[in-house]
Amino acid sequence: MSGPLLVTGGASGIGARLVESLAAERPVVVLDAVTPDAPVPGARYVKGDVTDRDGLGALVAGLCVDGPLSGLVHCAGICRTGPFLDMPPGEWSRVLDVNLHGTLATVQACAPRMSDGGRIVLFSSGTAFKGPGGIAAYAASKAGVIGFARSMAAELGERRITVNVLAPGLVVTGLSADFAHTEPANIAGRAIGRAATVDDFVEPVRFLLSDGASFVTGQTIVVDGGAIKH
């Protein structure tokens, strides 16, 4: 498809690595609250907030003046850690606003401006399945993404737009820094006993964006070295 691919949260972490890979082969627009110090050549960067529904709609409309989007990869997310019963409501509300409501707002803004046969790839987390302590609001928000994606697959199937989810296991980035100390235990629990890297998510995303995935929708692919098997 010739239209641009929108990548949210593409200024850092997994999103930045995806932009680096995908921008070499297709038009990519990155939506993030910040601009990276070393932007990827060929990628276009715009500042935006996925929780600003009205602003997001106007921004996406502006991106599509020359034609529809070919797809969306939604990586934007935040994390708050600590015992949930002690967590101020403002903190867990912020996690839900960005990770879940931001996903809803982004898809609502993008899907009407996407080509028929387009691709939507959302990001959940292995925590939605494992439910570790100290990360309840994050796990809840990411579980919500999975349920939402299944419903959107049904709603958008008539237009041949696929909606799928990637659920990473722990990969040490700025987002997961608070859990870096659990890495040895995570590695020990994986069928493939090594640390995850941001490179591990490039080919799964590329597959879900490809023509070869035109009959794959409503699915969640866990990429965690086999810690979760289903």
Side-chain angles (χ1 to χ4, degrees):
M1 296 180 184
S2 58
L5 171 72
L6 180 64
V7 180
T8 70
S12 61
I14 294 172
R17 180 65 186 96
L18 292 173
V19 171
E20 182 182 17
S21 174
L22 295 169
E25 58 196 39
R26 62 191 298 169
V28 171
V29 177
V30 180
L31 170 65
D32 207 312
V34 298
T35 302
D37 294 333
V40 173
R44 177 185 173 190
Y45 291 81
V46 294
K47 286 190 176 182
D49 181 353
V50 297
T51 68
D52 178 6
R53 183 177 177 276
D54 292 337
L56 187 62
L59 190 153
V60 173
L63 295 177
C64 297
V65 292
D66 295 325
L69 297 173
S70 62
L72 164 69
V73 178
H74 183 58
C75 295
I78 63 171
C79 185
R80 296 290 186 270
T81 62
F84 179 73
L85 296 182
D86 297 330
M87 185 175 288
E91 287 197 20
W92 55 261
S93 291
R94 177 60 178 164
V95 172
L96 291 173
D97 283 345
V98 175
N99 295 353
L100 182 55
H101 301 156
T103 298
L104 272 61
T106 302
V107 172
Q108 194 171 61
C110 291
R113 298 178 175 88
M114 189 173 293
S115 301
D116 288 356
R119 302 282 185 267
I120 296 176
V121 181
L122 308 178
F123 270 73
S124 179
S125 166
T127 60
F129 300 97
K130 298 175 78 171
I135 202 168
Y138 180 80
S141 69
K142 291 301 186 177
V145 169
I146 293 172
F148 171 69
R150 291 171 178 168
S151 290
M152 286 311 303
E155 291 194 25
L156 296 174
E158 185 177 4
R159 292 178 54 201
R160 296 177 288 104
I161 294 175
T162 64
V163 185
N164 293 291
V165 179
L166 222 67
L170 178 68
V171 55
V172 179
T173 65
L175 181 68
S176 61
D178 287 349
F179 282 84
H181 67 280
T182 69
E183 183 71 323
N186 280 290
I187 292 172
R190 293 171 180 158
I192 301 173
R194 65 165 175 81
T197 74
V198 291
D199 289 331
D200 290 319
F201 308 98
V202 171
E203 292 304 324
V205 169
R206 184 179 277 119
F207 166 68
L208 292 174
L209 293 173
S210 74
D211 291 340
S214 64
F215 206 52
V216 179
T217 194
Q219 305 304 309
T220 298
I221 299 177
V222 180
V223 182
D224 71 348
I228 297 168
K229 306 175 185 68
H230 68 102

